[in-house]
Amino acid sequence: MSEFPSDEVVDFLAGRKFGHVIDGEVEPGGEARLPLVDPSTGEVFAEVPLGSSDEVDRAVAAARRALSGWRRRTPAQRADALLALATLIDDRRDLFAQLESLNVGKPTVTSYPEIAGAADTLRFMAGAIRTVQTPAADEYTEGYLSFVRREPLGVVAAITPWNFPLSTAVAKLAPALAAGNTVVLKPSELTPLTTALFADLARSVLPPGVFNVVLGTGAGVGQPLGGHPDVDVISMTGSVATGAALARTGADTLKHLRFELGGKTPVLVFDDADIDKAVAVLRAAAFFNCGQCCGAATRVLVDASIEGEFVDKLRDAVATLRVGPPDSDPEMGPLVGEAHLEKVEGLVRGAVRAGATVRAGGGRVAGLDGFFFQPTILSAIPPDDAVLREEIFGPVITVETFRTEDEAITLANNTDFGLVAHVWTENTRRALRLADALEHGTVEVNAALVAPVEMPFGGFAMSGLGYENSSYSLDDLSRKKHVVIAK
């Protein structure tokens, strides 16, 4: 593999002072600083300013001032800006990808496609905003012409997670800007670098105040941003607890809510499945990004008649995973931090104490610095154990069994989440029945992690509200005004 980190990244970090971006200016912040830790080593490698409600107030005020001018731009003019932002990313692809790998600890084989995907999202939204539709203008009531105006909702508070920093930021930013909104974005305090860099570069494309970034913690920045009286929309990806807190915060002013709150993906493997293909795909889909993915395929429900063969093959496949820091050409990197490592470790230990069987892994990776956890498979787990109910967000597969299709559906839907489900079967009729019966926003048959920007991504139940990607996200971020004119 190429050198990691590259000389460009080393030089960039050595000479760079990251800051908030407010009203078109980079602000270095005060004395309060936030250290950033490399998950592969556990060492601090950079720092950013620690924002507060003061920065939030100024950023929201800037976004509010910029709204009237930005919304008056034509769809084509806003699209041109999004296309220019995509080019900014493409022109610095290596820098963005390596910064993402360094800050999150992920392999570059993962980060490079993410960066390309962010640029693709901007290009898609640039095209989509020019083709949105409303009902035809007509005389629906005799003597009165009716038509519909699509208008922006206003100022969007975007709060993004640490697992896919730039791609998630762009997934929120692109449809918001395309629809004529302005944005104040708070990236995760753990992995803010690519978002801060992107906001800095975006100043050359966007008018001041259209896109602002405030760095800091959830308590110091996220809560005051979500509750700000001049914010119209809260768009957040994160935990259910954070989503519920933000919903309460925004309740007094009835803010529009767009939440993606995680999942617990059931993977239903029937007795007619292509086991070798299912194992190969699961090896990637469960441990992609070290399992730190809301759609990670980590809850396996397998027909009892093939459990032995399936688990044996899965264990053998998992044993070949290359685990290590980004400079070792790994397939799987570390967890994001010590606190998260302890959480994953605690869930696995709790399941084992309750009687679960460890079929692979089960603990930290010996001989590596940083926050590495072994690719793990657990079976024979008590049905009420937390490892089956909670989103682990780590490299842990749990295995349960079923004997009938109805039992499989019941188990798959027995969760608070409803984001993604997978079905492995060669029976097309069964696949169609399962697509109807599973209470999840995406159902993938003989596939995993297929999420094109043209299709909506959103969940049911506690997995969230609204959609990312596709033209549906533009609907989420637009209001529809009925105009009536007497003839």
Side-chain angles (χ1 to χ4, degrees):
M1 65 171 291
S2 60
E3 182 183 5
F4 182 91
S6 66
D7 290 341
E8 180 187 17
V9 171
V10 173
D11 292 343
F12 177 81
L13 289 172
R16 191 77 173 192
K17 296 295 183 183
F18 291 94
H20 317 291
V21 176
I22 299 174
D23 205 14
E25 299 293 333
V26 177
E27 299 187 1
E31 293 183 0
R33 313 299 289 178
L34 191 63
L36 302 181
V37 175
D38 178 352
S40 296
T41 64
E43 298 177 356
V44 174
F45 72 97
E47 64 176 21
V48 295
L50 190 61
S52 69
S53 59
D54 290 340
E55 284 81 11
V56 169
D57 288 342
R58 289 189 291 105
V60 172
R64 181 61 63 184
R65 286 193 301 271
L67 179 61
S68 60
W70 182 249
R71 65 175 289 177
R72 281 197 294 269
R73 293 197 177 194
T74 66
Q77 290 170 333
R78 295 196 297 267
D80 285 345
L82 266 61
L83 293 173
L85 293 176
T87 299
L88 287 178
I89 292 175
D90 286 340
D91 289 347
R92 295 160 181 82
R93 182 190 63 166
D94 291 342
L95 178 59
F96 274 113
Q98 291 216 3
L99 274 179
E100 206 77 295
S101 287
L102 182 63
N103 202 176
V104 187
K106 63 179 65 187
T108 54
V109 70
T110 298
S111 61
Y112 272 88
E114 284 177 33
I115 300 307
D120 185 53
T121 296
L122 287 159
R123 291 193 170 94
F124 172 82
M125 292 301 170
I129 195 58
R130 301 184 66 174
T131 62
V132 290
Q133 303 294 314
T134 62
D138 209 334
E139 191 175 332
Y140 295 99
T141 299
E142 185 176 354
Y144 298 91
L145 175 67
S146 289
F147 63 92
V148 173
R149 285 176 51 89
R150 295 176 66 102
E151 299 178 346
L153 293 175
V155 175
V156 177
I159 299 174
T160 55
W162 44 258
N163 54 340
F164 301 105
L166 184 64
S167 61
T168 308
V170 168
K172 297 185 183 304
L173 178 71
L177 295 187
N181 303 278
T182 56
V183 176
V184 179
L185 191 150
K186 177 214 163 306
S188 168
E189 61 268 33
L190 299 179
T191 58
L193 290 188
T194 51
T195 303
L197 171 60
F198 180 57
D200 186 357
L201 296 172
R203 296 183 302 134
S204 66
V205 173
L206 299 172
V210 170
F211 174 34
N212 310 272
V213 167
V214 181
L215 307 173
T217 64
V221 173
Q223 282 295 319
L225 177 59
H228 200 287
D230 282 336
V231 162
D232 301 290
V233 184
I234 305 174
S235 180
M236 190 277 295
T237 297
S239 69
V240 172
T242 300
L246 285 168
R248 289 190 293 269
T249 297
D252 288 343
T253 50
L254 296 180
K255 299 188 189 306
H256 297 263
L257 304 177
R258 300 180 73 242
F259 290 161
E260 199 273 276
L261 304 178
K264 188 71 174 173
T265 301
V267 181
L268 284 67
V269 184
F270 288 89
D271 59 0
D272 65 334
D274 182 333
I275 293 179
D276 291 337
K277 182 179 179 182
V279 165
V281 172
L282 192 59
R283 178 186 182 275
F287 302 108
F288 167 71
N289 208 42
C290 199
Q292 299 169 126
C293 173
C294 54
T298 54
R299 185 187 172 212
V300 173
L301 309 174
V302 60
D303 189 293
S305 66
I306 62 169
E307 179 197 14
E309 178 187 3
F310 182 83
V311 174
D312 286 347
K313 289 186 173 182
L314 182 61
R315 182 190 58 218
D316 292 344
V318 168
T320 67
L321 277 166
R322 301 188 307 277
V323 180
D327 63 358
S328 66
D329 193 24
E331 295 173 280
M332 192 183 93
L335 294 165
V336 75
E338 179 65 33
H340 190 55
L341 174 59
E342 291 175 356
K343 175 200 168 186
V344 172
E345 187 175 44
L347 284 168
V348 171
R349 286 180 174 176
V352 173
R353 284 196 300 268
T357 300
V358 178
R359 307 297 292 269
R364 301 191 183 204
V365 177
L368 288 177
D369 296 327
F371 312 122
F372 292 91
F373 197 82
Q374 295 172 323
T376 295
I377 303 172
L378 301 177
S379 64
I381 307 162
D384 59 348
D385 192 85
V387 80
L388 295 179
R389 307 293 303 176
E390 297 182 19
E391 187 177 29
I392 303 170
F393 231 58
V396 180
I397 290 177
T398 61
V399 179
E400 303 166 77
T401 61
F402 62 84
R403 296 188 179 278
T404 68
E405 183 177 308
D406 285 345
E407 184 184 5
I409 293 169
T410 299
L411 284 170
N413 288 337
N414 184 26
T415 172
D416 293 333
F417 298 102
L419 188 61
V420 180
H422 299 168
V423 177
W424 287 91
T425 181
E426 296 299 304
N427 185 325
T428 302
R429 290 183 181 273
R430 171 184 284 154
L432 291 172
R433 288 195 302 270
L434 269 291
D436 175 63
L438 292 171
E439 297 291 331
H440 295 73
T442 296
V443 177
E444 300 184 74
V445 179
N446 300 331
L449 300 178
V450 180
V453 68
E454 293 85 356
M455 291 289 107
F457 185 76
F460 306 155
M462 300 295 277
S463 284
L465 304 166
Y467 293 97
E468 310 236 289
N469 296 343
S470 82
S471 59
Y472 289 108
S473 64
L474 296 171
D475 289 337
D476 284 350
L477 289 158
S478 303
R479 65 188 186 190
K480 292 79 182 173
K481 179 184 290 181
H482 175 207
V483 179
V484 182
I485 301 177
K487 296 180 68 175

